[in-house]
Structures are given as structure tokens and as C-alpha cells.
Amino acid sequence: MSGSNDQIAINTIRALAADVVGKANSGHPGAPMGMAPVAHVLFSKFMKFNSKNPKWINRDRFVLSNGHACALQYILLHLAGYKVSMDDLKAFRQIDSITPGHPELGVTDGIEVTTGPLGQGVSNAVGLAIAQAHMGAVFNKDNFSLIDNHTYVFLGDGCLQEGVASEACSLAGHLKLGNLIAVYDDNKITIDGDTAVSFTEDVEARFKSYGWEVLHVEKGDDDIAAIEAALKEAQKSKDVPTIINLKTTIGFGSLKQGGHDVHGAPLKKDDITQMKKKFGFNPEETFAVPKETYDIYNAAAEKGAKAEADWEALFKQYSEKYPKEASELTRRVEGRLPDGWEKALPTYTTSDAAVGSRKLSETTISKLAEVLPELVGGSADLTGSNLTRWKNAEDFQHPSTGLGSYAGRYFRFGVREHGMAAICNGIAAYGGLIPFGATFLNFVSYAAGAVRLSALSHLRVLQVATHDSIGLGEDGPTHQPVETAAWLRAIPNLAFWRPADGNETSASYLVSILSQHTPSVLAFSRQNLPQLANSSIEKAAKGGYVLEEVENADVTLVSTGSEVPLCLGAVEQLKSKGIKARLVSLPCFEVFETQSRDYKLSVLPSGSPILSVEAYSTFGWGQYSHDHFGLKAWGASGPYDQVYKKFDITPEGIAKRAEKVVAFYKKRGQPVFSPLISALDDISDE
């Protein structure tokens, strides 16, 4: 084996990429082989990390936005001394492996965010860079640069074609995030083939227009010196993010290098043989790592361990001079909430005025902002409608703009719903911060890809979603979210809240903030809602509770949000007709499902039919109710009360439907079992 130790290490990565994907018989060897030089230079010479403590707060963050290079990240983690063994590399893409197909946060130490869907990783990286800038502005002092890490992200042609990447990178340029360094793997190949068929824009000009510094490395396959020089230059940038356009050859060393055939399928055996011979490896050996390569990465790991030790010494001095700030930083990094913070949550009685729940949300955010300094967030250009900006909030902006500072906690995301949600994922992943984004509930659909990854990644991200139903009125069906709740409720590990009054609103924030590993979407009304007589934070925090109880009920009404007061009116109308109705408020399915069997059956018991009422599609209500009253089509344009009347979702309409349900089940003359019975009596529990 000949060549410099750096070249040997690069070729080792290329050979391992072929072996890892070949052993799994699934994956993408091309990108890892093409990006091996820059990956090696970055990890061995630039990245600040301690593989023995992957959670060190001031470590550099590395994000592989291009999910097609996932094998590369696991190889780097193995070489750098993280808990990724050679056996783990051999188990790539296998069930229950710590090296799953695409990197997942929480599965493998050293993985910062969940990537795979293109464009998400670079958007997360923007969030990571924002979090560092904010934490640094809050905690750094003269001679005490505690939070000063860089965020590095690798991205490819596919990432740059996704709209979410454009949204996030545009905002990153505006915010002048000098701590963000992107490496663009410009190999001109996607799954469909040469990018000439669909992607011929001038990427460098595009990023210059965003306000990024653009650097260029023409020979990314072998010009190690140029790669190192570009990364050094990028580190010098303090007031703008940097993208390095790195010209590479996909599948470098393969017989099919430069073509799309090497992009998404393992190399043939004869190809791996010739490649290993070319690089000086024994073609009969697999997963071979020369001592010289391990030595380079061991040295990088030792350098990182020393960097953390030096940081700890600096933090000790900081603690002596700034004990209050040191204690606060420690609390936030450890994920502990301030003692008694929940006492700031407002409570309500029936003597309080009827207001829209978006206004109740504003009051809650304003109270929480005073006691939770880690709460940060903003709106996608709807601040005045979402009501998310608290009094005296400072905007997060580069100081040079005169619009705020990096210490600001309120974000102007612009009209970028998808980018906003993906950026919030990165902020949450950084640590020490609880982010929220805001838009209309209907436009959470624009952010679906990132919301899904919030849940998969177990990230505490809040999405404030106002104008939550046909009750927004005149904007009509384009803005009325008939189907949105159904798909949000279908996402595992995501809490969709729809509060009916002030106490339920406070409960939704309470549980969302306590849920350290679950994201939440909080849906709020535009129209005014009365404060309910029997609601409380404690009751609503269970996800569902009995709002109006009656013995020997003929029917139970179950509802959410702005339809709960309508159901209260229906209960009174039914009473006048001799029909006894119970009323249940169910603001959050996900949280209700975590309650005990006995509690759930006390809320939705057997004995009488259950009718659900919601101004949405009825999809999904079968798990809780026998009959489902809602919308069968799109909404309509007009004043909100007229729109509700059009669809008969009024106290009168609900009462009529309930009468029919009661009559139907009386006619059957059979016991009425709770829909929960079949779900709770799971045969697997026997």
C-alpha cells in the first residue's frame, strides 16, 4: 500500500463504503466514495468532537444532509472512536442495528439529526447554527467563549432541488450565520441520471444571491490541499455562511464511476476487486482498516478529548466569575426546567371573557416567556394572526441589521413553513432550547415532511397552528383545514392538541413542554370561545375528561376545540326533550391514549352510544365513538357562524343527530359497548 497516510485513509473509506453496502446488499456506495477526501480532511483536521462524550455542548455539529451517503457517516463514526464497532458496520441496514439505513437521532451516538429525506438535513443544520449563535450570545462573556462551535453539513444535487433547502438557506443568508459551513457534493448525478436532464441552475450564483460566501474546489477527488484550504477559509467567515462547491466523481475508483449506476446499488464483486487492487488493498479482505488510518483518527479523537478538557477548565473559571449564568447554562444543557415554572400558566373561570383560543395561546406564551428563557420561536410571516410575539420580545437578527440581536428569542421565519419546521428541529436537537414555530393549521401541511421527522426524531418542537377550522370563515376552503387533524393524529409520537378554552390551552402548553421527547401541534381558533364551567388544567392534561356528567346517560357527546361549546348547547336541548347526555372534551388523542384503561373507560364507558362532533373530516373517530358527526367535504366561504350553520354543526344540528343515534341503539335493544373495549382488549396482552 503506497501513498501518504491521508491518501491511505481516504482509500480506506472508499473500500469500506463498498464493503458496507455490499454486505447489506442495499444502499448507496457512490456518494461515500466520491466524498471520502473531504470527509477525511474534515474529521481528521477540523472537526472538534470528543467521541467519548458525544453530548458535549460545544462540539462541532456534522450533518449529512444527503441521505444517500449514510454509510459514510457510520464509517467516520467508527474510525473516530464512537460506539460504532466493525460488527455494527457489517450490520448496516439490518433490523435493530445501530447503523440503520439512514442516520436516526437517538439510535447512534454521534448522529445529530435524523436525515434521509433530501433537504431536511441542511435545513436542520441551519437550526443548529441558529441555536449556537443564540446560546453564544446569551452565555459568552469577554475572554469566555463557551459556545463557539461550527456546524458542517454535506449536501448534494438532490438536497438543493428540494424546496425546503431553499427556504432554510435563504433565511441562513439573511441571518448571516457565519458558523455554518456547507460542502456541496457537485457530482452532477441523481437517481434519474445526469443532472442535465433536470437541474442546470447556477448553484454558486444562487447562494451568492442568498448572501452566502461561495468557495470552489475543482478537484475534489484528490486535491487534499485545496480541500483543506477551502475549509480554513470557510472558518474565517464570521458574518456569512459559507458553501464550498466541491467537484467530485461519484463512485470514484469504481468501473462505473461518474454514472448514476453507482449511485443507488451495491458494486459488483469484480468491481470491488479491481477497486481494491487499484487502491492497494487485498481484494480477498473485507472491512480492512490499516493501522495508519486508525492512528490518524485516534489522534483526532485525542485532540477532541483535550479540547473538551480545556473547555471544562474554562467553564470552571466562568463558574467562579459568573455563577448565575453558569448555573443557568448547566440547567439548560441538562434539560431541566426551572422550578415552579408551571405556576405561570394562566387559569380561567366562567366569569372570564370569551376569546379566541389563539388569544389564549398568546397570553400563555407571554407568561411562559417570562419563566422559560429557553423558550424561543416565531411565525412564518403571520405574527399578527398567530399572536405569538410577547411584549418586549427581541427579534433574533444579526446585530448589523439594527433589527435585533442573536440574543433575541423571537424569529421572523418569513413565508417558509417547511423551512421553519425543519429549522426548529435543528434548534431542538442542539440542546438547551425549546423552539416553536407558528402558522395557520392548514399550512402545517406545507411542513409535513419536517413535522414527521420531529416525531421520528423524538424532538420537543411546538407548532402553534391558529385558524384551526371552518371557524376562520371568509378565507374559505383553501384555508380551512378539514383533513389536517387526521394526518397529524396518525403520526406516531406526535401530540395534536385542540383546546376548547383557556384552561385546556394552558394544559396543552404544560404537557407539550413537559414532553421532552414528543413534538406537539397546538391548534387554536380564530373565533371566540367561552370559558367552560368544569374545565381545569389538571383534567385537560390527561388528554380527555368528562366535562358534563349525568347518571344513566342516553348518549355521550365527545368533541374538541370550538365544537365543545356547541355540544354544551346540544346537551341543554337534549335535556329539554328528556334525553340525558354526557359531554366529554378530548383535546389530545395521543395523551389520552397514555392514560390507564380504567380512566379511559370512565371517560368513554359502555352503556350508551357515543357521538363524536368535530368540524373536520370524521376520519379516525371510529376508535372513540359509534357515530361521527363532521364534514364530508371541503368547507365554505362566509362568516364563521354561517359556515357552521351550512354544515348543520350547531347545537340544534348536533342535538338532532344525537336523537337519531339514541333512537337507533334503543331499537337494536343490545348492550352498547365502548369502542375502546376492542382496542383495550388486545389479545397480545393476554
Side-chain angles (χ1 to χ4, degrees), residues 576-642:
S576 68
K577 298 179 180 181
I579 297 174
K580 292 191 277 187
R582 301 168 71 247
L583 176 58
V584 168
S585 180
L586 201 68
C588 184
F589 290 15
E590 175 85 9
V591 173
F592 184 67
E593 285 301 318
T594 66
Q595 306 306 316
S596 69
R597 170 194 175 107
D598 288 345
Y599 178 77
K600 286 188 283 186
L601 284 174
S602 73
V603 175
L604 297 172
S606 299
S608 62
I610 301 170
L611 169 65
S612 63
V613 180
E614 195 173 45
Y616 291 150
S617 161
T618 59
F619 188 87
W621 272 105
Q623 61 185 319
Y624 296 126
S625 59
H626 300 94
D627 190 47
H628 331 299
F629 190 32
L631 298 176
K632 299 184 183 301
W634 301 108
S637 179
Y640 82 89
D641 52 348
Q642 294 182 25

Side-chain angles (χ1 to χ4, degrees), residues 400-442:
S400 67
T401 63
L403 300 172
S405 77
Y406 280 167
R409 295 162 59 193
Y410 193 77
F411 296 101
R412 305 288 185 166
F413 287 109
V415 189
R416 302 181 178 100
E417 294 89 352
H418 199 177
M420 172 180 68
I423 287 168
C424 284
N425 286 345
I427 294 172
Y430 187 88
L433 296 170
I434 302 174
F436 71 84
T439 185
F440 288 2
L441 177 58
N442 182 65

